[in-house]
Structure formats: structure tokens, C-alpha cells
Amino acid sequence: MPLETELKYLGADLDAVARRLREAGARPQPGRRERNEVYDDPERSLRARGILIRLREDGRNLLTVKLPPGAGAPAGLKALREHETEVADLGPLRTALAALGLEVACVYEKLRQQWTLGDCHICLDRLPFGAFVEIEGPPQAIAATATALGLDGLPTSAASYHELNRAHRAAHGLSADDSFVFGPGEPGDPPAGQDPHKP
């Protein structure tokens, strides 16, 4: 499985980053609203072992399995071994996962617009608890891309969005909840080709 390395930048102005990406000649994809289901056993032993099984709906149906990186992973970055495949119908897949003793552990949503710049894949993400820029690529390319996009000096995190959600809820005195979804009146599906981070 390929090793995925990435870093999140917190507190960025997503409109400004999108403008810098366009000026740099980055190639955008249409914005998407994602709905994700994370599966685990009742004991949550997969999470304890650093394993993620996810079904994603974003106009496509995707099954993703993420595993710990093993020895030699770069320090300071989120690094996981990842396998992902598109499936025609999530219904039978959900049935198969249930037959294996797995259940939906949490559901989460985000608005995402993806860009490609050089060797990096950049995601502008709006979640119910904040906005983030995620850069995936070779470690040196991540740092260079962040500089080009004016992200130097911003807080960074190698945590997952699940970990960031838990930290956000704890910091704001909210009850623990591994799910995070948009409420009524919050962002909806962006039209094809439109920046999902603009009203």
C-alpha cells in the first residue's frame, strides 16, 4: 500500500489560499460535500490499533482502509498506509461489514475542494468545527508548497480530523461525540466548479 504523508494548517483564510493556488496555476477539481462513515467493532479495537475503515459518499462511493505507517515514517507529519477503491453500491458493502462484526462508529461531513500543485495535493476543507488546509505529498514538497501559499507561521497538526474534533469539543466544554455533521442552515452541496468555501 502507498504511504500517505500530509500536514494540516489551521486557521487559514481559505479564500486567500484559493486565490494563491489559482495564481500559481494549480488545477482545481469541483467542490464536493462528503459524508463519511467510519466502521469499527463494538470494542473499538480498530481505532486502538490505528486502523480506519471508511465508506465515503461524495458523488462517488469509496471504500478506504488506512493502516499505521510502520518503521521509517517521517516525523512531524501524518503518515498512513492507504488503500482506496471505488465501489458501485454501498448497500452490499455495508451488509458485508456488518457480517464481519463491524458497525458505524461515527459519521462526519466536510466540504472539500481539491487542487493539484506540483507534487502536492491540496485540500481546502470546511468542517462543522472549523476550516483547514491539508497538504499531501513528499515531506519537502509539503513545506515548499505551504510557503508558496502563505501558510508559514500558522499552527500545524498531524492529527486526524477525529482527533481535532475531540480536542475542539473538550476545549469548548461540549460533550464527547465522535461524529461531526453540518446542522440545518449550514453549508450545502456546492455547484460543480464553484468554490465550496464561498457563499
Side-chain angles (χ1 to χ4, degrees):
M1 294 182 185
L3 185 67
E4 172 192 280
T5 55
E6 64 187 36
L7 191 62
K8 293 179 178 68
Y9 291 79
L10 287 59
D13 179 334
L14 298 185
D15 290 337
V17 175
R19 183 174 63 252
R20 293 186 188 105
L21 283 162
R22 285 191 293 269
E23 291 169 352
R27 300 188 305 277
Q29 298 177 22
R32 297 178 184 267
R33 179 172 182 156
E34 296 180 3
R35 182 183 187 277
N36 301 274
E37 297 173 353
V38 175
Y39 283 76
D40 207 335
D41 57 33
E43 295 74 33
R44 302 297 185 255
S45 67
L46 296 182
R47 186 172 75 178
R49 292 155 54 199
I51 298 171
L52 180 137
I53 297 176
R54 180 184 69 206
L55 300 185
R56 170 173 290 170
E57 298 173 272
D58 66 356
R60 305 160 296 170
N61 300 319
L62 299 173
L63 168 65
T64 305
V65 177
K66 296 190 179 191
L67 302 169
L77 299 175
K78 180 183 175 185
L80 295 168
R81 289 178 291 148
E82 179 180 297
H83 179 73
E84 187 168 80
T85 187
E86 190 167 354
V87 296
D89 187 349
L90 289 180
L93 186 53
R94 289 186 175 107
T95 300
L97 292 172
L100 293 171
L102 302 179
E103 62 186 21
V104 176
C106 68
V107 176
Y108 68 97
E109 295 178 336
K110 63 175 174 279
L111 292 176
R112 163 168 282 183
Q113 186 166 41
Q114 302 179 72
W115 302 70
T116 302
L117 181 62
D119 293 332
C120 287
H121 185 72
I122 300 102
C123 297
L124 306 187
D125 290 340
R126 188 174 301 282
L127 284 77
F129 60 91
F132 305 86
V133 177
E134 183 178 275
I135 304 178
E136 177 185 339
Q140 291 184 336
I142 290 175
T145 300
T147 297
L149 296 179
L151 300 174
D152 288 345
L154 289 180
T156 61
S157 178
S160 69
Y161 282 132
H162 304 287
E163 294 164 327
L164 292 173
N165 171 60
R166 287 194 287 272
H168 168 81
R169 297 188 70 83
H172 290 81
L174 301 173
S175 60
D177 189 346
D178 283 332
S179 293
F180 42 98
V181 297
F182 293 111
E186 292 188 283
D189 296 305
Q194 179 178 313
D195 185 341
H197 310 291
K198 293 183 178 180

